Amino acid sequence: MSIYALVDCNNFYASCERVFQPYLNNKPIVVLSNNDGCIVARSNEAKALGIPMGAPMHEYRKICINNNVKIFSSNYQLYGDMSQRVMDSLKHFCPNIEIYSIDEAFLQLDSFEKNFDLIKYALHIRQKLNIWLGIPVSIGIAPTKTLAKIANHVAKKSTSTGIFDLRDINQRENILTALPINEIWGIGKRLSLKLNELGINTAKQLRDANPKYIRKHFGVVVERIVLELNGISCLGLEMVKPKKNITSSRSFGKPITELQPLSEAISHYATRACIKLRNQSSKAQGIYVFITTNKHKPNEPQYRNSMIQGFVEPTADTNLIIRIAKNCLDQLYRSGYKYKKAGVILTDIISNRHKQNDLFSENDLQDKREKLMQVVDNINAQMGTNTIFNAAQGITRHWRMREEMKSNRYTTCWDELLQVVV
DNA sequence: TCTGGGGTCCTAGGACCC
DNA sequence: TCTGGGGTCCTAGGACCC
């Protein structure tokens, strides 16, 4: 039988902020999305105030002020670095690990001896993460990933230890009976409604549904969930795969009407996407560029448009891709609109090694370009992001997103290290 | 005034081929 | 009234996740 553990960091972004500002322990915290738009993370104290996940900040500003809620802009350099430390620590306890998201990982525990006490081990892991990093986690253990997700949910909500084991059949019966289907991993809003219409309301009812029937009406994805709920493992551990698409997009701090700043923004996003692309040793074969006005303002004139442009040959060259992206933008742009957001997606990504040169391309030139990119990447890695950048990205960047309440990058930036005053 | 960003997988249907 | 059968590939759109 397979055994999975899901390790999930509690209120991850809020916990990261607390590590470096411990006076915030036991106080309500919220962390905002990019552009300080929505609330994307809440401490338990903030949840208790009834602040929902994903809510627009402006609707809850009053509640936050009245209750002394500490508000943070997103600090992804900090969260990303802390995440890596958590994952590196977990690998120390179990090498078979799937990093599922910035704050979650599955561990495959099959190979531990039969009478090895996994609950004790989970407690040990939890304790060590707390000592090493100050990040609290919950751990759910079960024979399938879907059940491990549920176990984790229970661990977080209704245990004092932060650990829950769903391998026990009797336990499972009670938990699944009480769990509404929309809380199952992979069952979203739409599927819940459709299943409810058939009288399937709880995880237990879905588990006991006929897999053949489910497959016919809901597809293979939901059929797998049924089997997983029955303890039959269908979803294995997935290793890191290079991305097939790489997006870079942002809402603007204030609306843009002119082509020039829009072009700077697009160049900036293209640059960011290319850096991610080279970091995973890949090349792209096409780009998707889009611009849009503010959809939340129906009274203003609306315009959104996008286009796809294939490349002559796969590339990761920032200069080339900026040129193509700007070209797309020239065709998409219409004056007379207030643009709120723009972005690029690099598509049809393939590995660097896989090389098929254009018959007519000048190889020599291409090699030189690749070397140039390497030098730029190295300088920016050593001296800080944006030490060298394309003039096309602009210098003032008035369109930059808002991040008015960002904490220091305590772990990745020399100028912002934690200071201890003795 | 203020409303995020970045992904994946599956399926149905059309185009095309022999 | 009759107008094959079987297959692949590609794409758009839907659904989901954190």
Side-chain angles (χ1 to χ4, degrees):
Chain A
M1 190 182 74
S2 51
I3 307 171
Y4 290 96
L6 176 66
V7 183
D8 189 320
C9 302
N10 301 348
N11 317 323
F12 183 54
Y13 298 168
S15 298
C16 288
E17 299 294 350
R18 273 182 181 157
V19 171
F20 299 94
Q21 302 184 57
Y23 72 91
L24 294 171
N25 286 337
N26 308 315
K27 304 222 166 74
I29 300 178
V30 298
V31 182
L32 305 182
S33 64
N34 282 317
N35 218 21
D36 293 344
C38 296
I39 294 165
V40 292
R42 307 150 296 154
S43 70
N44 288 337
E45 298 76 12
K47 288 176 188 171
L49 290 170
I51 300 172
M53 173 69 179
M57 180 58 209
H58 66 96
E59 289 177 11
Y60 285 86
R61 193 171 299 278
K62 253 194 186 145
I63 293 184
C64 287
I65 291 169
N66 291 342
N67 292 282
N68 254 325
V69 177
K70 178 78 180 170
I71 304 166
F72 288 99
S73 302
S74 274
N75 185 345
Y76 284 108
Q77 273 130 346
L78 178 65
Y79 311 150
D81 186 65
M82 290 302 284
S83 170
Q84 193 163 2
R85 289 166 197 245
V86 169
M87 301 308 169
D88 288 347
S89 305
L90 286 175
K91 281 177 199 160
H92 174 87
F93 296 106
C94 174
N96 297 327
I97 176 173
E98 172 187 339
I99 298 170
Y100 178 66
S101 74
I102 194 165
D103 69 337
E104 280 173 73
F106 287 102
L107 309 179
Q108 192 164 35
L109 304 169
D110 306 15
S111 47
F112 285 82
E113 277 177 41
K114 229 182 170 183
N115 46 10
F116 184 82
D117 190 341
L118 286 176
I119 297 182
K120 219 168 155 186
Y121 196 52
L123 283 165
H124 175 69
I125 294 174
R126 188 172 187 273
Q127 190 192 14
K128 285 298 181 192
L129 289 178
N130 231 324
I131 295 170
W132 292 342
L133 299 166
I135 299 286
V137 303
S138 304
I139 304 179
I141 303 170
T144 69
K145 285 167 96 175
T146 304
L147 287 170
K149 269 276 195 184
I150 294 172
N152 189 285
H153 182 84
V154 179
K156 198 159 283 177
K157 284 212 158 160
S158 20
T159 66
S160 54
T161 57
I163 312 288
F164 194 77
D165 184 358
L166 253 188
R167 283 174 299 168
D168 180 86
I169 301 278
N170 297 325
Q171 287 270 30
R172 216 186 290 168
E173 210 61 24
N174 297 330
I175 299 292
L176 295 187
T177 305
L179 191 74
I181 47 168
N182 61 311
E183 298 196 15
I184 300 169
W185 186 41
I187 304 290
K189 232 183 204 161
R190 305 288 172 104
L191 285 171
S192 293
L193 282 175
K194 279 207 246 170
L195 287 162
N196 287 157
E197 281 170 18
L198 294 174
I200 299 174
N201 301 300
T202 67
K204 180 175 146 70
Q205 287 172 324
L206 184 61
R207 179 198 67 184
D208 296 336
N210 181 343
K212 292 275 172 306
Y213 177 86
I214 294 290
R215 168 144 199 166
K216 193 166 166 219
H217 292 86
F218 298 91
V220 64
V221 179
V222 185
E223 184 196 23
R224 270 186 217 139
I225 293 173
V226 173
L227 296 174
E228 286 249 321
L229 289 173
N230 277 285
I232 302 163
S233 178
C234 306
L235 307 170
L237 215 60
E238 296 196 19
M239 295 304 132
V240 256
K241 286 178 283 185
K243 303 256 180 283
K244 296 173 181 170
N245 297 298
I246 292 176
T247 306
S248 177
S249 77
R250 285 279 180 278
S251 297
F252 305 126
K254 41 187 157 184
I256 296 181
T257 53
E258 304 300 313
L259 178 59
Q260 174 58 25
L262 209 49
S263 172
E264 288 177 11
I266 285 288
S267 303
H268 188 65
Y269 302 152
T271 304
R272 282 170 35 104
C274 286
I275 290 169
K276 292 188 209 170
L277 184 65
R278 292 194 295 273
N279 274 343
Q280 67 163 36
S281 308
S282 302
K283 291 181 176 181
Q285 303 186 87
I287 190 170
Y288 176 92
V289 178
F290 66 91
I291 53 176
T292 171
T293 49
N294 191 340
K295 64 177 177 191
H296 296 290
K297 291 188 171 168
N299 297 330
E300 293 183 356
Q302 294 288 315
Y303 175 70
R304 57 188 54 108
N305 207 349
S306 62
M307 68 180 287
I308 298 173
Q309 178 76 57
F311 302 154
V312 179
E313 55 187 338
T315 182
D317 187 314
T318 302
N319 301 308
L320 198 65
I321 292 178
I322 285 181
R323 209 177 309 148
I324 296 167
K326 282 172 69 175
N327 202 314
C328 291
L329 178 66
D330 288 341
Q331 296 176 58
L332 295 171
Y333 176 79
R334 304 280 180 278
S335 62
Y337 294 101
K338 291 182 183 170
Y339 295 96
K340 179 60 180 168
K341 182 176 174 180
V344 306
I345 304 175
L346 298 176
T347 61
D348 300 310
I349 290 171
I350 56 166
S351 160
N352 232 342
R353 293 192 300 268
H354 171 155
K355 214 171 191 177
Q356 178 155 38
N357 287 328
D358 179 345
L359 194 57
F360 304 105
S361 79
E362 299 169 54
N363 274 323
D364 195 36
L365 182 65
Q366 208 183 339
D367 285 351
K368 280 185 183 161
R369 282 182 164 164
E370 282 183 19
K371 277 183 192 146
L372 175 63
M373 285 298 108
Q374 267 176 29
V375 171
V376 171
D377 286 342
N378 286 342
I379 291 174
N380 284 335
Q382 279 179 36
M383 313 292 288
T385 330
N386 284 332
T387 302
I388 293 192
F389 60 91
N390 276 71
Q393 292 170 249
I395 295 172
T396 54
R397 298 188 196 153
H398 291 304
W399 36 267
R400 256 189 322 225
M401 68 174 182
R402 276 188 296 271
E403 43 179 11
E404 285 162 3
M405 295 149 290
K406 198 166 101 171
S407 55
N408 287 347
R409 294 166 289 178
Y410 297 102
T411 60
T412 55
C413 187
W414 287 113
D415 296 334
E416 300 179 19
L417 293 184
L418 187 68
Q419 292 185 19
V420 180
V421 183
V422 186

